[in-house]
Amino acid sequence: MDYADVAVRLGSAWSSPFATWQGTLAEVDGLDPATAVTSRALADRELDPGRFDGIALGWTVPQKRVVHGAPTLAARIGAPGLTGPVAAAPMAAVLVAAVLMAAVLEVTD
């Protein structure tokens, strides 16, 4: 598959903060902060979640409810029915994969 003119617009990418999943965060579902960060990023940019045609999700630590991670996150941010690729790998690989997936899923006006 060949993608032409793929880019992530300046200010359009975001990520949840990196955290050590131990101690007080040991019982936190990773999709909770992902939902909060994504919802806030969309609101800050005045973007309607229904505008997107795909979603990409990456994580480094396995989570309890991440089997259907991308569609679950999509539903939580107000875009039910949306799906897309999921990357589960060491930190550097997730970052690269997430940026590439975001570029492929770029919203065009």
Side-chain angles (χ1 to χ4, degrees), residues 16-76:
S16 59
F18 298 113
T20 302
W21 294 99
Q22 56 191 359
T24 58
L25 291 178
E27 299 300 319
V28 174
D29 182 337
L31 288 177
D32 293 340
T35 300
V37 168
T38 302
S39 296
R40 185 173 54 242
L42 291 172
D44 289 351
R45 292 162 178 82
E46 298 179 359
L47 292 173
D48 174 14
R51 175 180 183 194
F52 296 95
D53 58 3
I55 189 169
L57 176 65
W59 76 87
T60 57
V61 178
Q63 302 290 307
K64 291 179 184 176
R65 295 186 257 308
V66 82
V67 173
H68 303 290
T72 299
L73 178 60
R76 288 184 179 190

